[in-house]
Structure formats: C-alpha cells, structure tokens
Amino acid sequence: MKLRIYFLIFLLSGMYAAKAQKAYVSTDFIKGYTLYFVRHTTSSEIKEYYKLTDHQNKKTVLEYGAKELSSPQISKTAKTVAFKNISDPNIRALGDVNFDGRQDIVIYETEINDDGCYTAQATARVFINTSSGFVPAQSISNVYNEAHCVRGGSFEIDAKNKRLITWSSGGAALHVSAYYSVSGKEAKMVCSFEEEGYDSMPFSKITGKKLENEKWISFTSLSLYEPGLGTDELLAFDTKNGKGRVILFQAKDILYYAFQQNDEYKFISFAHPSSAEKANKAIFKFRKQNTGNELEFNSGNIKYLIYETPEGFGIKINVNGKISDWQGVAKKGTLSSFSSTKLVNVIKE
C-alpha cells in the first residue's frame, strides 16, 4: 500500500514538474498600457501569449502568441506584478526604433534555432507602436536578427542622428558596421564599412560604402582604434565653427594629431602622422610662451598652429599665407603638459 502511495506521489510530482503555467498582469511594462502575459511550459515546449491593452480606451493594441492561452479560465489565475518581477520574459521595451516619439517593443520566439550563427539564437520580432496599435516590422526585425546572429553583434538606436546601427566582430581587430535610416516600418541601409585595426595602429583603417543620391559610393578613412586603449589623450577640443574635434594624443612615445569629423560617423579626416612608421617625418614644435603655449607642425605646404592662452585656445591653419583661426570650445587637457612630456617627434623650442 505504501509503495503505491509513494508511486502516486512520484508520478504527480513528475507531472507537475513537466507542466507549469503562469499568468501575469503588469501595468508598468510601457507607460499607458497593460500587459497580460501567459507562459505555458511542458517538458517538450514553451508557449507564450501576450496582450497589450491601452489604458485610456481599453482597446487591445497587440495580441501575439498561442491564443489558446487567452481563455478566461487562465486569465482568472493571473497575478498583478511589476514587470521587473516576471522571470525571463521574452517581451522587451526596445526603444523608439523609427524615431516617431513612441516606444516600440521586441518579442523573442520561445523556440531556439541555429541557422549558421556562432550560437543558437531566438528569432526576434519587432513591433512598431502606431496610432492604431503595435504592428510587426519585418524589415527592422531582419536588421535586429542579423545583428545578433554574429559574434559580438549589437543593435543600437542613435536618436540624435536618427539611425539604427549594427556592429559585429570579424576577428581580433576587425569590426563591421552598418547604418540604417528608418521610415515607418522600413529600415534602409545607408552606410556599411569595415574597421581594421592592426595595419595602421593607433588608428583603424576604414573601408566602406555610402548611399548618396541612391548610388553607392566607395570610401576610405581612419578612426581612432578603441580610444583610451594604449593611448594617452593630452589635449582635445571641439572647434567653435562646428567642423570637428582636434585631438592630440600619444601612443608609446609618439605624438599624434587627429581631426575628427563632426558627423554621425566620427571618422578621422586628417591624421599627423597616420601611422607609427611615419613619425620621424611628422615633427611637432612646442613653444612655451609668457602667457601661453603653442604647438606647430607642417603637412605639405599647410602649416598648423595649436595655441592656448588665457584669452582662449584653438588651431590656426595657414594655406599659402591665408590663415583660418578655428577657435575651440569644450577643452580637455592642456598644452602645458608638453613641458614635461618626452616624445620622439616633439622638438621643444
């Protein structure tokens, strides 16, 4: 008799472990909406159901997943909880991916697949928040899935420039990136490039293409390779005219000048020197003045003078006798540090 009882207890506990169902109601998932969420788990599969309801008009703005879990019997068991207390939800607030001022969401499928990625991934579906409800955006979903389908892949929302940006790693020093514009539910690639770090350290060599007037244009450029890694920034400031940012930094015992463009890509349009091998031909002259300091260098027939006085700072560019004075703002560091810094390509006068 006792053996039968133990067997029944074991059987029932096994059935309970193999099958579990939880239902939740959360009012703080996204401001203005109520989330109804059900997860049904068995030993062979996981099913989920989602329903978002507008607080004001009580209308359903999203319904997705296994509809058999929407029965009244299940909804009666739902517990009202803060969203953060729901364990491992497959629904997320993604951010404003199409820059219309509304919060969009992403839902991950419960079934994991491996279609050639480095690791198995759950397919994600992005839903755009529109005036009539949350609607699926296949184009943006593709960008999201492709970003996370490679090693180190990421999906970023650049609200300032209204771009979606994806990054991935193709090796120890190779990074691949793509920029997308978004209109409604559609994402469109406008730039893609590779960033190779080893050949031109401490810079990265940029090779890519941009979409201009509906035509792809190839380009090459430079970027700072992981700023702060193996480099020491000595002076940096933005130009008041908005053209870009002046950066003076040292890598090992070499001084580098870089001018960073003031656009969404932040590439380096001019570097002096552009690599360590060119340092002996990229000489800087440092002069300590009574009321300030100067750092001068030449590139071809163009002369550059970075100055720092009590009245201000900036860079003067002399092209065949015509001088442009680009005054600076938002300065970090100081030229006075060059008085005690030993660099192989800096002459102190």
Side-chain angles (χ1 to χ4, degrees):
M1 182 67 179
K2 288 183 178 180
L3 185 60
R4 286 186 178 181
I5 293 173
Y6 291 149
F7 177 75
L8 286 172
I9 292 173
F10 174 79
L11 183 61
L12 289 172
S13 63
M15 291 174 61
Y16 180 79
K19 181 178 179 180
Q21 186 170 276
K22 295 181 180 180
Y24 304 96
V25 173
S26 179
T27 59
D28 64 344
F29 169 58
I30 294 181
K31 185 177 180 180
Y33 299 96
T34 296
L35 170 66
Y36 174 60
F37 169 62
V38 183
R39 177 183 289 136
H40 181 85
T41 305
T42 68
S43 58
S44 60
E45 65 178 350
I46 298 174
K47 291 183 179 181
E48 292 183 342
Y49 172 76
Y50 312 88
K51 184 170 73 171
L52 274 179
T53 306
D54 190 296
H55 282 175
Q56 292 183 337
N57 55 31
K58 308 302 180 184
K59 289 184 177 179
T60 298
V61 293
L62 171 72
E63 188 175 24
Y64 183 77
K67 287 193 175 182
E68 63 267 26
L69 300 179
S70 64
S71 67
Q73 292 86 349
I74 297 176
S75 63
K76 290 179 182 179
T77 67
K79 295 180 179 180
T80 300
V81 298
F83 181 74
K84 66 179 181 180
N85 293 331
I86 300 176
S87 61
D88 301 322
N90 283 313
I91 186 171
R92 304 276 199 282
L94 184 58
D96 183 7
V97 297
N98 63 344
F99 315 106
D100 62 356
R102 299 187 179 98
Q103 180 79 279
D104 305 308
I105 65 173
V106 60
I107 297 177
Y108 299 89
E109 299 289 0
T110 56
E111 184 176 348
I112 303 296
N113 61 74
D114 187 355
D115 55 359
C117 303
Y118 283 91
T119 58
Q121 300 284 337
T123 301
R125 297 180 184 273
V126 175
F127 291 81
I128 298 298
N129 190 349
T130 71
S131 57
S132 58
F134 287 80
V135 296
Q138 188 60 52
S139 175
I140 300 174
S141 297
N142 291 342
V143 174
Y144 188 92
N145 285 312
E146 289 170 7
H148 290 289
C149 197
V150 293
R151 181 179 59 188
S154 63
F155 178 93
E156 302 173 22
I157 301 172
D158 181 356
K160 179 181 177 180
N161 297 297
K162 296 185 177 180
R163 292 285 189 263
L164 299 182
I165 304 173
T166 63
W167 284 94
S168 61
S169 175
L174 177 64
H175 302 124
V176 181
S177 183
Y179 284 58
Y180 297 83
S181 64
V182 182
S183 178
K185 299 186 298 178
E186 300 298 320
K188 181 180 181 180
M189 184 186 291
V190 294
C191 178
S192 67
F193 59 87
E194 292 185 353
E195 185 180 49
E196 177 61 64
Y198 280 152
D199 291 342
S200 51
M201 290 286 283
F203 299 99
S204 293
K205 182 180 179 181
I206 302 295
T207 304
K209 59 181 182 179
K210 293 180 184 179
L211 189 62
E212 297 180 0
N213 298 320
E214 298 303 316
K215 291 183 179 180
W216 287 103
I217 306 298
S218 299
F219 71 92
T220 59
S221 188
L222 295 174
S223 71
L224 282 175
Y225 181 70
E226 298 186 22
L229 182 62
T231 64
D232 184 12
E233 191 173 277
L234 302 174
L235 175 68
F237 58 84
D238 296 325
T239 60
K240 191 179 291 186
N241 58 19
K243 290 184 179 295
R245 184 170 181 80
V246 169
I247 303 173
L248 287 170
F249 67 95
Q250 73 174 87
K252 295 183 179 179
D253 57 353
I254 298 173
L255 177 64
Y256 293 86
Y257 166 88
F259 190 76
Q260 189 176 53
Q261 296 174 216
N262 185 25
D263 59 15
E264 60 185 301
Y265 306 110
K266 305 299 182 184
F267 293 147
I268 302 299
S269 59
F270 172 57
H272 183 83
S274 58
S275 66
E277 291 73 21
K278 299 178 181 180
N280 62 337
K281 295 183 180 180
I283 302 300
F284 295 82
K285 296 178 181 180
F286 173 73
R287 290 186 289 270
K288 185 174 178 60
Q289 309 289 354
N290 291 332
T291 59
N293 299 286
E294 295 178 347
L295 186 71
E296 183 181 75
F297 66 94
N298 298 342
S299 178
N301 61 348
I302 303 177
K303 296 182 179 180
Y304 297 83
L305 180 70
I306 299 172
Y307 62 91
E308 184 180 59
T309 70
E311 290 74 34
F313 55 92
I315 181 170
K316 294 180 181 179
I317 305 172
N318 186 332
V319 181
N320 297 324
K322 183 178 180 181
I323 300 175
S324 299
D325 185 357
W326 293 3
Q327 297 177 23
V329 294
K331 179 168 68 74
K332 292 183 179 180
T334 176
L335 278 180
S336 62
S337 63
F338 285 79
S339 298
S340 57
T341 303
K342 294 183 179 180
L343 300 165
V344 297
N345 59 335
V346 175
I347 299 173
K348 296 178 183 179
E349 296 184 339

